[in-house]
Amino acid sequence: MKNIIYSLSVVACMTVFAGCAQIDIEPQTNPTKETWFKNASDLKMSVDALYSYKQWDFEGYRPYNLDMWSDDWFQNTITNDPGPTGNLTSDHSFVQARWKNTYRSIMNANLCVAAARRLREADDTADLQALEGEALFMRACFYSYIIFFWGDAPYYTDEISISQAEAMTRTPKSEILGKIYEDFDMAETLLPEKNPGRVCKATVAPFKARTALWCSDWATAAAEAKKCIDSKAYALDADWDNVHAPKSTSKEWILSIPRSRSLDDASKFATTNFIPRIIAGYTGNLGPSWELLLSFLCTDGKPVDESPLYDPHKPFKNRDPRCAKTIVEFGSTFLGYEYSPEKLKVRDPNGKSVSNVSSPLVGNGSPTSALYLRKGIDETWIDDKYAENNVPVLRYADVLLMYAEAKVELNEIDQSVLDAINDVRSRAYKARRTQTSLYPSVKETGQRDLRTIVRFERRMELAFENKRYFDIIRWKVADICMNRPQYQCLLGLTVNGDYWKSDLGKLIKSGDFFFTDKALPDIDENGLVDLKPLLDTGTIRQHTARYFPVRQYLFPIPSYDIVTAPGLTQNPGY
């Protein structure tokens, strides 16, 4: 049980971001809890460390961390991943690391809370109050991960001994949720109105709303989201692209975790799996799925299996603007090169015709889905093939959609619900909510219809922001979408040196590319896309099977803690 009683670890020099400013954490030499926390300066440095991506393990561990376990994701080597293959076990390193690291973050927050309270007894300053508030806020967030992924779990707020840990049992999720709310509420009373570069009073409500949404506590989610909206502390950025710039400091961000290669080399992540082979990318191995491409609504607000505007041969035409801003549009220029998967030759940045090795028709290592991610990618990805994008945690558009969803689930549908959805949707079209002729405004008031609309809107707006996995788990639809296989293009290997004689080449020459017009995908009321009708036409092929056992709605508790703490019980099915 030592994994849930980690003592304080002061993170090495790191720059973190919350709001618009930065926090610099100076390295220290082997501090311990006995020699630390002597004054407010020590405490501040320890609270600073709670902002590190290393503490926000589920979302800050790496960009797109949990997206790869969702139906938004395509991966050539998906069989290597335990999530989409159903191979998650209590001995798997992913489970063990996430459990250990999240409890370590909790212990660090516990120590900061205790130290702040002790220091406040001697000198109760506003700075110390703010630091205690920050630590309480962080503890609430870390415990929200625990109950979402594991359900009932060990809960403690004090430093505990090994013998106490070995005697620990699982506290009911509902009880821990109440304690999380208490931490959020206390943090809100202690935090200042303004706290540049750090969480402040206004930060609490949206995170409390998110936690409530994860637990289907619709009343709390609606109330806290509304509090955030009414505070006007955050606002939608008029420019959707500005929000998603790799190092964005948009006013829309409530919290994002930055990465700085100059301060911590572990912050960088390899880009070669995401960028086209024509720009010396490795394979284009990772990226958007066909299900994600087909989930973007058409410009009439209807899904592709209902809209007369949808053209299977030109899948980006007449689609919500966020489609081509998330996925590289065919025929567009991406990182200086033309991207047209149906061509043998394309234009380079100098206008020269070059071999289109990024196409599945030509490139032996190209993405067999033919789709590349555009969102959050710019020229900084290609200089040395490493990037340091901020890792998104929460932004204001999500809060608006949380409010709408919670009110829909409560069946308390009024104009404010439609306004929240339309604020997000109209921004994508560079329009104002009231300019209803410029975008497909939402007018429906029925609960079932609006539930479907909200689920589509979340997917379009929040793709590749580590949100999709949380959504399909809490909506209990993962066992539907993640039990469907990945699909890919037909083979483009040459026949006697002729690309056009390959299966993919013949399909392109026939004019029945990208998707055939002989069938449409089936899209259900949850926005889940089923490509089986297209498979039956023979114009696409299955890539890799995915498997999601029902047990995986909760993660297993690591086996070593089950063994050392007899009072801990395992989640069902493991």
Side-chain angles (χ1 to χ4, degrees), residues 195-214:
N195 202 16
R198 314 173 75 90
V199 297
C200 63
K201 196 178 292 293
T203 316
V204 175
F207 274 89
K208 186 176 178 182
R210 183 175 86 154
T211 302
L213 197 82
W214 286 356

Side-chain angles (χ1 to χ4, degrees), residues 253-398:
W253 283 110
I254 297 170
L255 179 65
S256 66
I257 306 296
R259 291 171 172 251
S260 175
R261 290 158 54 189
S262 63
L263 295 176
D264 178 10
D265 194 58
S267 282
K268 68 185 183 182
F269 70 99
T271 66
T272 50
N273 279 328
F274 290 92
I275 62 177
R277 187 166 175 249
I278 203 169
I279 316 175
Y282 175 53
T283 60
N285 178 43
L286 314 175
S289 67
W290 283 357
E291 292 100 320
L292 177 60
L293 171 62
L294 292 166
S295 71
F296 286 89
L297 301 176
C298 292
T299 52
D300 57 4
K302 296 179 180 179
V304 299
D305 63 339
E306 297 178 13
S307 174
L309 300 178
Y310 174 61
D311 183 350
H313 297 162
K314 299 178 181 178
F316 290 88
K317 183 181 178 181
N318 299 325
R319 304 294 295 282
D320 184 291
R322 289 167 291 190
C323 182
K325 291 177 181 291
T326 302
I327 303 170
V328 178
E329 181 176 4
F330 304 158
S332 69
T333 299
F334 180 52
L335 300 177
Y337 287 81
E338 176 190 358
Y339 181 60
S340 297
E342 76 283 8
K343 294 182 179 181
L344 294 177
K345 298 281 188 177
V346 292
R347 298 291 176 182
D348 71 5
N350 298 316
K352 181 181 177 181
S353 180
V354 295
S355 177
N356 187 16
V357 295
S358 295
S359 167
L361 181 64
V362 177
N364 189 35
S366 62
T368 51
S369 68
L371 301 184
Y372 284 101
L373 179 66
R374 177 181 285 277
K375 186 176 182 179
I377 295 177
D378 68 5
E379 287 74 11
T380 61
W381 281 48
I382 60 178
D383 53 0
D384 63 356
K385 304 304 184 294
Y386 285 98
E388 51 181 5
N389 288 39
N390 293 345
V391 179
V393 179
L394 186 60
R395 61 185 174 94
Y396 185 64
D398 196 351

